[in-house]
């Protein structure tokens, strides 16, 4: 199934590319370069005097830094290659390196782009388009996204997803301002985390795939330029080693960007099938069960630039508020690793002031507070409040 | 096995693709369209990045990256490139007749069209909304403010998306004259 799909996608791409080479294109007004080095970085200080870990030890205030170079190559007008590496120090002072993406775009025609390799999945907006620190208006990530941003005690619905496979992107122009954007992809799919009961779902493709089935997904968005974009995403794939447990997720994102303010939000839900076994009555095995583990959340973020007041000293100042909320149907009845981090639900609010030094360099001061609703899911309940100071830059 | 297929795909696609030598386009309507596409797309996810941050060669590699992110069509990407090129090299001013000593001076209106100001600003009800409307700006903020803004858009706003244009004082005066009308 997987091989056939990949092969036919490749074959289709090749035959289509051969057909289009004959039609000449208008050429760029720029001098054609081959390589560009871009990227971003940040230094973040987190002040969290009340935070404790699961054993009740103090969690230190800490400083972490990231440097994320992006290598862009232009092989030809039709082919573009890009790779992003992330070098980061964590709270323990260790250095981590990660390949965020490495892929090739093939500009197949005026409105179709085929991407192959490892890429950020076009699922929602934040993961694919808004997470770089000079773009993200807050210091931390929305509560529905785990990883990469001091998520404290609130586990995300999932972490930012990148994976390996092929994506076909299309743009449909509807008049002057209307656009429909579509993305459809087939990727190697989620894995099962290590764990006693089989563990949770791991999306990021660190170690290759574990089963023979691929995951599929896509996003369809309607944009009314320049202010509006509303998108719907779906993702589904088998995650267990034997390939019979499924993980699926949906996302609805909306974005409004005005001259001085913006409002963005996402609704995000996921369902993971989990399996287990009833306690055996006598010695033999009990009955096996498969249950759906649902988790959902949403966030909304508003920003406002004080430039609107027309005072020049306020020109670089921007205010940010973000509210995130996560729910799950975990009630303690599933004896499963999901409860560890997947089971915690609650809400988080973030307030911030940003001071822009350049269009892509910003000093952010933020405060966030999290309340966990279902304390039975965590071993202890700890206050989860922190203050951040971050310098973020894109280059 | 997967990686072999990936490499194979690259090879086939590379050989089947083609590239054309760069060519300077001085088409003012393409520049104006590019300014519009730029102002409508390039601030959707992040602050718009002003043209002078990268060289023309670098932009030629960055734009395909952003074409994919922003879901721009190939034509839109070419228009944005023409806009960036025009603000980076004053291709408009470097046009052949301009270098001749007796070349006709451009009027304020022509310069405003050729630099794509209306991609981002409304003038007389026409134009984009990335920047504020410019009708009455000379009266309300003063001529010297507008002069400074055009010489260095970042002088009062470090995060300005407005490009720093390669214009001389004469051009700026002509533009101010036009904005006063």
């Amino acid at each position: 199934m997987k091989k056939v799909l990949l092969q036919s996608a490749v074959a289709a791409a090749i035959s289509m590319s051969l057909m289009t080479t004959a039609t000449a294109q208008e050429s760029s007004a720029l001098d054609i370069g081959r390589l560009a080095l871009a990227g971003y970085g940040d230094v973040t200080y987190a002040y969290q005097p009340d935070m404790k870990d699961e054993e009740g030890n103090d969690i230190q205030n800490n400083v972490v830094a990231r440097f994320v170079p992006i290598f862009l190559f232009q092989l030809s007008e039709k082919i573009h290659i890009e790779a992003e590496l992330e070098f980061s120090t964590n709270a323990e002072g260790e250095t981590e390196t990660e390949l965020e993406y490495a892929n090739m775009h093939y500009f197949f025609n005026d409105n179709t782009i085929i991407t192959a390799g490892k890429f950020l999945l076009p699922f929602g907006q934040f993961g694919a388009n808004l997470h770089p620190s000079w773009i993200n208006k807050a210091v931390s990530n929305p509560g529905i996204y785990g990883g990469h941003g001091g998520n404290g005690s609130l586990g995300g619905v999932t972490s930012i997803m990148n994976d390996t496979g092929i994506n076909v992107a299309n743009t449909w122009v509807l008049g002057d301002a209307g656009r429909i954007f579509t993305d459809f992809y087939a990727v190697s799919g989620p894995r099962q985390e290590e764990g006693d009961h089989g563990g949770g779902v791991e999306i990021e493709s660190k170690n290759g795939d574990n089963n023979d089935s691929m995951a599929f997904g896509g996003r369809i968005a309607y944009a009314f330029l320049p202010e509006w974009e509303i998108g719907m995403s779906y993702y589904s794939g088998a995650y267990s080693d034997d390939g019979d447990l499924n993980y699926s997720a949906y996302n609805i994102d909306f974005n409004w960007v005005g001259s001085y303010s913006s409002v963005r939000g996402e609704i995000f839900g996921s369902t993971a099938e989990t399996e287990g076994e009833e306690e055996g009555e006598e010695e033999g095995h009990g009955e096996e069960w498969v249950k759906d583990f649902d988790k959902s959340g949403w966030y909304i973020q508003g920003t406002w630039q004080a430039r609107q007041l027309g005072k020049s000293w306020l020109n670089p100042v921007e205010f940010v508020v973000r509210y995130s909320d996560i729910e799950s149907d975990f009630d303690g009845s599933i004896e499963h690793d999901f409860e560890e981090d997947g089971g915690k639900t609650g809400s988080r609010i973030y307030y911030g002031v940003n001071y822009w030094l350049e269009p892509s360099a910003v000093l952010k001061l933020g405060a966030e507070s999290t309340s966990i609703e279902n304390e039975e899911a965590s071993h202890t309940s700890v206050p989860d409040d922190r203050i951040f100071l971050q310098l973020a830059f894109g280059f | 096995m997967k990686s072999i297929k990936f490499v194979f795909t690259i090879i086939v696609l590379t050989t089947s693709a083609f590239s054309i030598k760069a060519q300077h386009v001085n088409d003012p309507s393409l520049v104006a369209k590019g300014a519009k596409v730029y102002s409508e797309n390039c601030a959707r996810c992040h602050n718009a990045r002003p043209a002078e941050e990268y060289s023309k060669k670098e932009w030629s590699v960055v734009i395909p990256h952003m074409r994919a992110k922003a879901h721009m069509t190939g034509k839109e990407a070419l228009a944005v490139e023409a806009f960036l090129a025009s603000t980076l090299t004053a291709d408009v001013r470097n046009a052949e007749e301009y270098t001749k000593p007796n070349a006709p001076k451009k009027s304020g209106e022509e310069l405003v069209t050729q630099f794509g100001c209306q991609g981002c600003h409304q003038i007389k009800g026409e134009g984009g909304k990335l920047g504020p409307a410019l009708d009455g700006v000379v009266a309300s903020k003063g001529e010297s403010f507008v002069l400074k803004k055009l010489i260095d858009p970042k002088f009062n706003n470090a995060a300005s998306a407005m490009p720093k244009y390669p214009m001389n004082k004469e051009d700026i005066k002509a533009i101010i004259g036009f904005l006063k009308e």
Side-chain angles (χ1 to χ4, degrees):
Chain A
M1 176 66 178
K2 190 168 175 170
K3 285 205 184 107
V4 174
L5 257 160
L6 255 185
Q7 274 159 350
S8 46
V10 169
I14 294 169
S15 53
M16 291 189 295
S17 79
L18 292 174
M19 271 151 37
T20 46
T21 44
T23 45
Q25 275 206 327
E26 293 173 68
S27 58
S28 170
L30 297 167
D31 303 337
I32 300 303
R34 251 182 82 73
L35 170 70
L37 183 62
Y40 63 94
D42 51 66
V43 186
T44 309
Y45 174 70
Y47 174 74
Q48 41 194 14
D50 296 333
M51 277 292 285
K52 301 228 185 315
D53 66 14
E54 310 258 286
E55 278 89 47
N57 305 314
D58 282 349
I59 290 185
Q60 302 301 313
N61 302 334
N62 59 59
V63 185
V64 292
R66 263 194 304 182
F67 178 69
V68 189
I70 300 175
F71 304 90
L72 304 168
F73 300 90
Q74 180 163 236
L75 274 189
S76 74
E77 274 186 24
K78 293 247 153 193
I79 293 181
H80 181 87
I81 290 171
E82 58 191 39
E84 182 179 294
L85 283 177
E86 174 168 325
F87 300 96
S88 58
T89 62
N90 60 19
E92 282 75 49
E94 296 152 2
T95 304
E96 292 168 357
T97 312
E98 212 178 294
L99 177 67
E100 288 280 296
Y101 59 74
N103 60 61
M104 184 198 83
H105 293 309
Y106 177 66
F107 296 103
F108 168 62
N109 62 26
D110 193 48
N111 43 22
T112 306
I113 305 172
I114 299 164
T115 302
K118 182 175 181 181
F119 53 88
L120 299 173
L121 299 185
F123 182 87
Q125 273 283 0
F126 187 82
N129 297 330
L130 304 174
H131 78 276
S133 46
W134 65 275
I135 300 178
N136 184 1
K137 302 286 190 181
V139 178
S140 55
N141 288 347
I144 55 175
Y145 289 95
H148 287 266
N151 242 65
S153 53
L154 191 65
V157 176
T158 185
S159 74
I160 289 168
M161 300 187 285
N162 52 14
D163 207 342
T164 309
I166 189 158
N167 182 70
V168 178
N170 264 292
T171 303
W172 317 85
V173 178
L174 305 177
D176 192 36
R179 299 282 186 282
I180 289 176
F181 304 139
T182 61
D183 284 277
F184 295 103
Y185 51 85
V187 290
S188 70
R191 293 172 54 81
Q192 193 154 22
E193 264 170 8
E194 310 286 310
D196 299 342
H197 285 81
V201 183
E202 184 179 48
I203 306 287
E204 284 184 76
S205 60
K206 279 182 195 144
N207 322 306
D209 201 6
N210 59 331
N211 54 37
D212 203 31
S213 63
M214 298 193 82
F216 300 93
R219 178 171 180 269
I220 299 180
Y222 176 73
F224 195 77
L225 299 176
E227 291 184 353
W228 285 97
E229 181 173 341
I230 291 167
M232 285 196 304
S233 314
Y234 185 75
Y235 174 94
S236 173
Y239 78 93
S240 58
D241 294 335
D242 54 12
D244 52 4
L245 293 179
N246 194 68
Y247 174 82
S248 67
Y250 67 88
N251 184 306
I252 299 167
D253 62 271
F254 69 89
N255 308 269
W256 175 82
V257 182
S259 305
Y260 302 101
S261 35
S262 71
V263 181
R264 293 181 191 274
E266 286 180 28
I267 301 168
F268 190 164
S270 69
T271 301
E273 289 173 349
T274 58
E275 64 185 352
E277 210 171 82
E278 306 276 340
E279 291 283 305
E281 266 152 41
E282 274 139 45
E283 54 239 46
H285 288 282
E287 220 171 299
E288 294 194 359
W289 50 259
V290 173
K291 283 184 190 163
D292 282 352
F293 179 85
D294 291 337
K295 193 160 188 199
S296 63
W298 53 275
Y299 85 87
I300 185 162
Q301 168 189 296
T303 65
W304 177 68
Q305 292 173 20
R307 184 164 69 79
Q308 189 164 15
L309 298 178
K311 301 244 183 319
S312 69
W313 64 276
L314 284 174
N315 280 348
V317 179
E318 181 179 51
F319 295 92
V320 185
V321 185
R322 181 197 278 155
Y323 183 83
S324 316
D325 190 86
I326 295 187
E327 307 177 346
S328 82
D329 60 3
F330 169 73
D331 56 7
S333 68
I334 304 179
E335 294 258 318
H336 199 278
D337 282 9
F338 278 124
E339 55 182 83
E340 268 299 316
D341 53 34
K344 288 174 209 167
T345 65
S347 60
R348 163 172 293 168
I349 186 136
Y350 175 98
Y351 296 102
V353 186
N354 298 339
Y355 189 89
W356 289 92
L357 308 164
E358 284 288 320
S360 62
V362 58
L363 196 59
K364 303 180 205 169
L365 179 65
E368 77 177 13
S369 175
T370 307
S371 47
I372 301 292
E373 276 152 17
N374 57 342
E375 265 144 28
E376 66 272 26
S378 74
H379 301 298
T380 51
S381 134
V382 289
D384 184 3
D385 301 328
R386 58 181 73 75
I387 292 174
F388 291 113
L389 187 63
Q390 181 183 65
L391 177 66
F393 52 89
F395 58 90
Chain B
M1 190 55 200
K2 234 192 252 171
S3 57
I4 294 177
K5 270 184 209 149
F6 179 54
V7 170
F8 173 70
T9 319
I10 292 190
I11 294 170
V12 174
L13 294 182
T14 315
T15 47
S16 68
F18 63 102
S19 62
I20 304 180
K21 243 184 34 212
Q23 176 188 80
H24 289 272
V25 185
N26 297 328
D27 178 352
S29 68
L30 191 63
V31 171
K33 182 180 176 222
K36 179 170 159 14
V37 174
Y38 179 95
S39 108
E40 289 182 349
N41 286 278
C42 303
R44 267 167 49 209
C45 298
H46 50 69
N47 286 348
R49 306 272 296 250
E52 68 273 14
E53 274 189 34
Y54 296 93
S55 70
K56 287 202 286 185
K57 277 201 167 149
E58 286 170 323
W59 273 119
S60 81
V61 189
V62 167
I63 289 298
H65 184 42
M66 286 303 121
R67 174 180 166 190
K69 281 265 180 233
H71 279 87
M72 286 192 294
T73 65
K75 290 199 186 77
E76 286 171 335
L78 283 174
V80 169
E81 293 186 341
F83 164 67
L84 293 169
S86 84
T87 75
L88 281 173
T89 43
D91 273 7
V92 181
R93 284 176 49 81
N94 294 344
E96 219 184 307
E97 79 270 24
Y98 220 94
T99 50
K100 291 186 190 133
N102 56 351
K105 293 213 168 56
K106 305 249 162 165
S107 72
E109 186 170 8
E110 283 169 326
L111 288 165
V112 162
T113 312
Q114 287 181 322
F115 284 130
C117 310
Q118 273 164 295
C120 302
H121 294 285
Q122 285 203 336
I123 303 175
K124 301 187 173 86
E126 288 277 316
K129 288 194 189 146
L130 188 63
L134 293 183
D135 308 292
V137 67
V138 182
S140 67
K141 302 225 163 162
E143 204 162 316
S144 73
F145 170 84
V146 179
L147 188 81
K148 273 198 246 159
K149 189 73 185 169
L150 289 173
I151 292 171
D152 177 16
K154 284 190 181 165
F155 96 93
N156 69 335
N157 178 2
S160 180
M162 181 163 145
K164 183 172 176 173
Y165 286 98
M167 295 189 272
N168 60 25
K169 280 241 162 95
E170 224 173 295
D171 294 337
I172 295 177
K173 292 247 161 71
I175 290 178
I176 291 176
F178 171 69
L179 292 178
K180 276 203 268 191
E181 278 170 25

